Amino acid sequence: QSEGQFVSLGIFEKDDVLCALRYLEQDVGTSSVGVWGRSMGAVVSLLVAGDEEFRDSLGCVVCDSPYVSVRLLLLQLAHKYIPKVPFLPYDSVVEEAMTSIRAAVLTKAGFDLFALDSLPAATNSRAPALFAHARSDQLVAVSHSHTLVEAYGGAASLVNFDGDHNSVRDAEFVRTAIHRNTLQHSNILQHTATQ
């Protein structure tokens, strides 16, 4: 369902990743799988990690710049970029605009933009997770990652680094993410083998 002219910001993309995981689950050469996503992809990774079908079998999760929900993200961006006009009921104008956007997306694309909430998925997740967020991210505030780490159902840590939402992630961050999650998965396997 994720093919077509609309991006669903994670709602339908989750199904694509679940399909890929089902395929890998049948592959005898695959011993462990992790999911790694950035921005919308990080939300998809969380949605998959919290899904009942795979929450206990994923090796690791890396979430770079995830958002808690589209609704919260839009509210924060509106408050950041739309100037307040004296005597105008600002909050009700923003709410009305968001209601209109939600209705337009539902009509044109066939999904509820505000149904996407990664917090319940984070709470339901069990795989070891590394969250990452650029300190100067102007699109998705770093508070989203803090909220998700606090709610995460398994072992989780957060790494902050210089840059913004679209900055190239340096090689050291990539090595750290791979190394940390490989070690965590190795420890899980060793712990399981001794039980």
Side-chain angles (χ1 to χ4, degrees), residues 51-135:
D51 189 272
E52 295 294 326
E53 186 176 359
F54 288 102
R55 78 174 188 169
D56 295 319
S57 60
L58 282 178
C60 65
V61 180
V62 178
C63 295
D64 183 345
S65 310
Y67 44 86
V68 172
S69 70
V70 173
R71 179 173 170 42
L72 178 60
L73 180 61
L74 289 176
L75 272 174
Q76 289 175 338
L77 291 172
H79 286 283
K80 184 175 185 174
Y81 292 111
I82 298 173
K84 293 189 178 183
V85 177
F87 307 112
L88 184 70
Y90 184 79
D91 289 333
S92 36
V93 169
V94 169
E95 281 296 330
E96 188 61 38
M98 289 182 48
T99 300
S100 295
I101 291 168
R102 181 183 194 184
V105 169
L106 190 57
T107 301
K108 285 189 165 229
F111 67 91
D112 182 357
L113 189 61
F114 295 165
L116 184 68
D117 186 348
S118 61
L119 199 56
T123 303
N124 202 36
S125 299
R126 301 288 178 264
L130 175 64
F131 287 79
H133 218 109
R135 288 183 190 93

Side-chain angles (χ1 to χ4, degrees), residues 38 64-65 134-137 161-170 173:
R38 184 167 171 179
D64 183 345
S65 310
R135 288 183 190 93
S136 299
D137 194 326
F161 44 81
D162 292 330
D164 61 32
H165 192 75
N166 294 312
S167 295
V168 174
R169 302 313 189 229
D170 68 19
F173 163 71

Side-chain angles (χ1 to χ4, degrees), residues 1 17 22 46 62 77 81 90 113 139 147 155 168 179 186 194:
Q1 279 187 331
V17 176
R22 288 182 197 112
L46 274 174
V62 178
L77 291 172
Y81 292 111
Y90 184 79
L113 189 61
L139 182 61
T147 298
V168 174
H179 179 71
S186 172
T194 59

